[in-house]
Short mmCIF file of all heavy atoms in Angstrom, two decimals:
data_model
loop_
_atom_site.label_atom_id
_atom_site.label_comp_id
_atom_site.label_asym_id
_atom_site.label_seq_id
_atom_site.Cartn_x
_atom_site.Cartn_y
_atom_site.Cartn_z
N MET A 1 19.85 162.16 49.59
CA MET A 1 19.56 162.08 48.17
C MET A 1 18.14 162.56 47.83
O MET A 1 17.78 162.67 46.66
CB MET A 1 19.80 160.66 47.68
CG MET A 1 21.25 160.21 47.96
SD MET A 1 21.53 158.45 47.78
CE MET A 1 22.04 158.35 46.07
N HIS A 2 17.37 162.86 48.84
CA HIS A 2 16.04 163.44 48.68
C HIS A 2 15.62 164.01 50.03
O HIS A 2 16.11 163.57 51.07
CB HIS A 2 15.02 162.38 48.23
CG HIS A 2 13.67 162.95 47.89
ND1 HIS A 2 12.61 162.97 48.78
CD2 HIS A 2 13.22 163.54 46.75
CE1 HIS A 2 11.56 163.55 48.20
NE2 HIS A 2 11.90 163.90 46.98
N ASP A 3 14.74 165.00 50.00
CA ASP A 3 14.17 165.55 51.22
C ASP A 3 12.70 165.21 51.28
O ASP A 3 11.91 165.66 50.43
CB ASP A 3 14.36 167.06 51.27
CG ASP A 3 13.90 167.67 52.58
OD1 ASP A 3 13.53 166.91 53.51
OD2 ASP A 3 13.90 168.91 52.68
N ARG A 4 12.32 164.39 52.26
CA ARG A 4 10.92 163.97 52.38
C ARG A 4 9.96 165.15 52.37
O ARG A 4 8.83 165.06 51.89
CB ARG A 4 10.74 163.15 53.67
CG ARG A 4 9.27 162.86 54.05
CD ARG A 4 8.73 163.90 55.02
NE ARG A 4 7.31 163.74 55.27
CZ ARG A 4 6.34 164.28 54.54
NH1 ARG A 4 6.63 165.00 53.46
NH2 ARG A 4 5.07 164.14 54.86
N TRP A 5 10.39 166.31 52.91
CA TRP A 5 9.48 167.44 53.06
C TRP A 5 9.15 168.10 51.73
O TRP A 5 8.27 168.97 51.66
CB TRP A 5 10.05 168.43 54.08
CG TRP A 5 10.32 167.72 55.37
CD1 TRP A 5 11.54 167.40 55.91
CD2 TRP A 5 9.34 167.18 56.27
NE1 TRP A 5 11.38 166.71 57.08
CE2 TRP A 5 10.05 166.55 57.32
CE3 TRP A 5 7.95 167.15 56.28
CZ2 TRP A 5 9.39 165.91 58.38
CZ3 TRP A 5 7.30 166.51 57.33
CH2 TRP A 5 8.02 165.90 58.37
N ASN A 6 9.82 167.66 50.65
CA ASN A 6 9.43 168.10 49.30
C ASN A 6 8.26 167.31 48.75
O ASN A 6 7.69 167.67 47.72
CB ASN A 6 10.61 167.98 48.33
CG ASN A 6 11.72 168.96 48.64
OD1 ASN A 6 11.55 169.88 49.44
ND2 ASN A 6 12.87 168.77 48.02
N LEU A 7 7.90 166.21 49.41
CA LEU A 7 6.83 165.35 48.89
C LEU A 7 5.46 165.98 49.04
O LEU A 7 4.52 165.60 48.33
CB LEU A 7 6.85 163.99 49.60
CG LEU A 7 8.04 163.08 49.27
CD1 LEU A 7 7.99 161.84 50.15
CD2 LEU A 7 8.03 162.68 47.80
N ASP A 8 5.30 166.90 49.97
CA ASP A 8 4.01 167.57 50.11
C ASP A 8 4.17 169.08 50.29
O ASP A 8 3.27 169.75 50.78
CB ASP A 8 3.18 166.97 51.24
CG ASP A 8 3.92 166.95 52.57
OD1 ASP A 8 4.99 167.59 52.67
OD2 ASP A 8 3.43 166.31 53.52
N GLY A 9 5.32 169.59 49.88
CA GLY A 9 5.52 171.03 49.88
C GLY A 9 5.56 171.67 51.25
O GLY A 9 5.23 172.85 51.41
N THR A 10 6.01 170.90 52.26
CA THR A 10 6.00 171.42 53.63
C THR A 10 6.74 172.74 53.75
O THR A 10 6.28 173.67 54.41
CB THR A 10 6.61 170.38 54.59
OG1 THR A 10 5.85 169.18 54.53
CG2 THR A 10 6.62 170.90 56.02
N TRP A 11 7.91 172.84 53.11
CA TRP A 11 8.71 174.07 53.22
C TRP A 11 8.75 174.84 51.90
O TRP A 11 9.66 175.62 51.67
CB TRP A 11 10.14 173.72 53.67
CG TRP A 11 10.18 173.01 54.98
CD1 TRP A 11 10.56 171.73 55.23
CD2 TRP A 11 9.79 173.54 56.26
NE1 TRP A 11 10.45 171.42 56.56
CE2 TRP A 11 9.98 172.52 57.22
CE3 TRP A 11 9.30 174.78 56.69
CZ2 TRP A 11 9.70 172.69 58.58
CZ3 TRP A 11 9.01 174.95 58.04
CH2 TRP A 11 9.22 173.92 58.96
N GLY A 12 7.77 174.57 51.04
CA GLY A 12 7.63 175.40 49.84
C GLY A 12 8.03 174.75 48.54
O GLY A 12 7.71 175.27 47.47
N THR A 13 8.76 173.63 48.57
CA THR A 13 9.15 172.93 47.36
C THR A 13 8.26 171.71 47.16
O THR A 13 8.22 170.82 48.01
CB THR A 13 10.62 172.49 47.42
OG1 THR A 13 11.47 173.64 47.49
CG2 THR A 13 10.99 171.68 46.19
N CYS A 14 7.54 171.67 46.06
CA CYS A 14 6.72 170.51 45.68
C CYS A 14 7.36 169.91 44.44
O CYS A 14 7.18 170.41 43.33
CB CYS A 14 5.28 170.95 45.42
SG CYS A 14 4.16 169.63 44.89
N ASP A 15 8.14 168.87 44.62
CA ASP A 15 8.94 168.32 43.52
C ASP A 15 8.11 167.38 42.65
O ASP A 15 6.88 167.28 42.77
CB ASP A 15 10.20 167.66 44.05
CG ASP A 15 9.94 166.40 44.89
OD1 ASP A 15 8.78 165.93 44.95
OD2 ASP A 15 10.92 165.88 45.46
N ALA A 16 8.78 166.67 41.73
CA ALA A 16 8.07 165.81 40.78
C ALA A 16 7.26 164.73 41.49
O ALA A 16 6.15 164.40 41.06
CB ALA A 16 9.08 165.18 39.82
N TYR A 17 7.78 164.18 42.58
CA TYR A 17 7.06 163.13 43.30
C TYR A 17 5.83 163.72 44.01
O TYR A 17 4.78 163.09 44.08
CB TYR A 17 7.99 162.45 44.31
CG TYR A 17 9.16 161.76 43.65
CD1 TYR A 17 10.39 162.41 43.53
CD2 TYR A 17 9.04 160.49 43.13
CE1 TYR A 17 11.46 161.80 42.90
CE2 TYR A 17 10.10 159.86 42.50
CZ TYR A 17 11.31 160.52 42.39
OH TYR A 17 12.37 159.92 41.76
N CYS A 18 5.98 164.92 44.52
CA CYS A 18 4.86 165.63 45.12
C CYS A 18 3.76 165.85 44.09
O CYS A 18 2.57 165.59 44.35
CB CYS A 18 5.35 166.96 45.68
SG CYS A 18 4.09 168.13 46.21
N GLN A 19 4.14 166.29 42.91
CA GLN A 19 3.16 166.59 41.87
C GLN A 19 2.47 165.32 41.36
O GLN A 19 1.26 165.33 41.08
CB GLN A 19 3.84 167.32 40.73
CG GLN A 19 4.36 168.70 41.11
CD GLN A 19 5.32 169.27 40.10
OE1 GLN A 19 5.05 169.29 38.91
NE2 GLN A 19 6.47 169.75 40.57
N LYS A 20 3.23 164.23 41.26
CA LYS A 20 2.65 163.00 40.70
C LYS A 20 1.85 162.20 41.73
O LYS A 20 0.77 161.69 41.42
CB LYS A 20 3.74 162.12 40.12
CG LYS A 20 3.20 160.82 39.51
CD LYS A 20 4.26 160.07 38.72
CE LYS A 20 3.64 158.83 38.07
NZ LYS A 20 4.61 158.10 37.23
N TYR A 21 2.39 162.11 42.96
CA TYR A 21 1.79 161.19 43.93
C TYR A 21 0.94 161.87 45.00
O TYR A 21 0.12 161.22 45.65
CB TYR A 21 2.88 160.34 44.58
CG TYR A 21 3.52 159.40 43.59
CD1 TYR A 21 4.76 159.69 43.04
CD2 TYR A 21 2.87 158.24 43.18
CE1 TYR A 21 5.35 158.85 42.11
CE2 TYR A 21 3.44 157.39 42.25
CZ TYR A 21 4.68 157.70 41.72
OH TYR A 21 5.25 156.86 40.79
N ALA A 22 1.14 163.16 45.19
CA ALA A 22 0.35 163.87 46.20
C ALA A 22 -0.63 164.86 45.58
O ALA A 22 -1.50 165.37 46.27
CB ALA A 22 1.26 164.59 47.19
N GLY A 23 -0.45 165.13 44.29
CA GLY A 23 -1.38 166.05 43.63
C GLY A 23 -1.18 167.49 44.03
O GLY A 23 -2.08 168.31 43.86
N GLY A 24 0.01 167.81 44.57
CA GLY A 24 0.30 169.18 44.94
C GLY A 24 0.58 169.32 46.42
O GLY A 24 0.45 168.37 47.19
N PRO A 25 0.99 170.52 46.83
CA PRO A 25 1.38 170.73 48.23
C PRO A 25 0.22 170.58 49.19
O PRO A 25 -0.93 170.85 48.86
CB PRO A 25 1.93 172.15 48.23
CG PRO A 25 1.33 172.81 47.04
CD PRO A 25 1.16 171.72 46.01
#
């Protein structure tokens, strides 16, 4: 239901949680 690797843009996708909680890739 989610891919952890989107949380910090590891494979190129920085999703809403990445943008809000990590401040970007």
Side-chain angles (χ1 to χ4, degrees):
M1 302 166 92
H2 187 263
D3 185 6
R4 170 266 173 273
W5 304 109
N6 292 349
L7 290 174
D8 55 11
T10 300
W11 301 114
T13 297
C14 178
D15 67 8
Y17 298 96
C18 170
Q19 294 166 50
K20 181 170 183 177
Y21 293 101

